[in-house]
Amino acid sequence: MFKALVITKPETGYRCDLTELDEAQLPASGDVTVRVAYSTLNYKDGLAITGKSPVVRSFPMVPGIDFAGSVTQSDHPKWKVGDRVLLNGFGVGETHWGGLAQMARVKGDWLVALPEMLSERDAMAVGTAGYTAMLCVMALQRHWLEAGVAPGSGEVLVTGANGGVGSVAISLLAGLGHTVVASTGRPQEADYLKSLGAATVIDRSELSAPGKPLQKERWIGVVDSVGSHTLANACASTRYGGAVAACGLAQGMDLPASVAPFILRGVTLYGVDSVMAPMARREAAWETLAKTLNRTRLAAITTEIGLAEAIASASDILAGRVRGRLVVDVNC
């Protein structure tokens, strides 16, 4: 028997409960069984647990879009018992049972070998949010390399700065020598954001309202996890030849923007998907994270909770009351 969060949709309504399951109940479609050490609570997990958005596609469902642990059984040629692995995305926690449980059975093709320099807890302190931030930074780096843009040659904007993606993006970009401007709805967190490497902190209200289609040039790059008017304004104020990496929709799925920045300033908008990203890109992102991420800053953005606390914390993350990353010790 093992503990798990389970989402059901009975006639009385949508609910998520902490319960016990038998290993025989794990999905038959997986070929690798993993004893989970740590998972995380991401924005998408918050939506799944609360039912605020139709993230979950089948019931019952164990939520949790990522996890780290050790292989206990494998019918996959790549993995053997004792291998340390992690998983992000691939519909886990949405269409396939996920990581907010002490056991998981998944397809071996979805797993990434946990880099030697990372513990299971550190990997989940990074989690899908940090891995997504790394994919965004990698997209900007490829663009800057081609354009000949050097670190320190201009400001880089990070929106949703207090969230998981934003916090890790600030640390990564500052570590690479860039001047980071953090946009947040919690200006009282300015000292925290500066401790991660932000040079300047601005209020999100400067970007969140409808704006002009073309604005004063400011950013050489943007990491945006907010969407809607914030993303539109970020594009409108990106410098000639700059780039924007978009990965989230906290403000909304819409993009009330103009084509002006793209055809008059040559701005490039990169859509960053972490769920179905190719394995080679995933492995490169995790290897880079293991080598470059500042562990002190990682600790500063991380709060650990137990599995039972994840249900209540889901509402907090949707309400913007969570700073940085929530690591879930599934065995606590």
Side-chain angles (χ1 to χ4, degrees), residues 154-300:
E155 294 177 312
V156 182
L157 172 68
V158 176
T159 68
N162 271 294
V165 173
S167 296
V168 178
I170 291 168
S171 180
L172 289 169
L173 289 163
L176 291 168
H178 293 284
T179 304
V180 181
V181 176
S183 168
T184 179
R186 289 179 276 173
Q188 68 273 18
E189 299 280 14
D191 288 343
Y192 159 72
L193 295 172
K194 289 180 179 179
S195 75
L196 298 181
T200 307
V201 177
I202 63 173
D203 194 286
R204 69 181 177 194
S205 61
E206 295 186 30
L207 297 165
S208 59
K212 296 179 180 179
L214 208 59
Q215 300 171 29
K216 182 180 179 180
E217 296 179 63
R218 184 167 182 182
W219 327 113
I220 61 168
V222 178
V223 173
D224 175 68
S225 60
V226 178
S228 192
H229 291 291
T230 297
L231 176 55
N233 287 321
C235 292
S237 52
T238 295
R239 285 167 43 175
Y240 188 92
V244 178
C247 66
L249 41 73
Q251 187 179 2
M253 291 183 64
D254 59 324
L255 180 57
S258 162
V259 298
F262 310 113
I263 61 176
L264 297 180
R265 290 183 181 164
V267 171
T268 299
L269 176 60
Y270 291 99
V272 176
D273 166 55
S274 63
V275 177
M276 302 303 292
M279 186 54 65
R281 189 168 294 173
R282 291 170 181 269
E283 292 171 341
W286 277 105
E287 286 297 331
T288 303
L289 283 163
K291 294 174 183 176
T292 63
L293 193 61
N294 185 299
R295 297 299 199 278
T296 301
R297 289 175 178 169
L298 183 62

Side-chain angles (χ1 to χ4, degrees), residues 42-58:
N42 299 283
Y43 191 84
K44 185 181 285 188
D45 298 319
L47 293 173
I49 290 170
T50 61
K52 296 293 186 181
S53 182
V55 169
V56 177
R57 309 298 175 83
S58 63

Side-chain angles (χ1 to χ4, degrees), residues 79 84-87 110-115 279 282-283 286:
W79 307 108
R84 298 192 316 142
V85 296
L86 61 88
L87 186 148
W110 298 345
L111 295 169
V112 173
L114 187 63
M279 186 54 65
R282 291 170 181 269
E283 292 171 341
W286 277 105

Side-chain angles (χ1 to χ4, degrees), residues 121-140:
R121 188 185 186 281
D122 280 348
M124 289 299 98
V126 175
T128 287
Y131 150 68
T132 303
M134 186 74 252
L135 292 178
C136 289
V137 172
M138 288 166 62
L140 294 180

Side-chain angles (χ1 to χ4, degrees), residues 17-58:
D17 299 288
L18 177 63
T19 188
E20 285 197 345
L21 300 173
D22 189 281
E23 191 171 333
Q25 294 176 268
L26 288 168
S29 58
D31 53 11
V32 178
T33 303
V34 178
R35 180 169 295 282
V36 179
Y38 290 93
S39 184
T40 69
L41 199 66
N42 299 283
Y43 191 84
K44 185 181 285 188
D45 298 319
L47 293 173
I49 290 170
T50 61
K52 296 293 186 181
S53 182
V55 169
V56 177
R57 309 298 175 83
S58 63

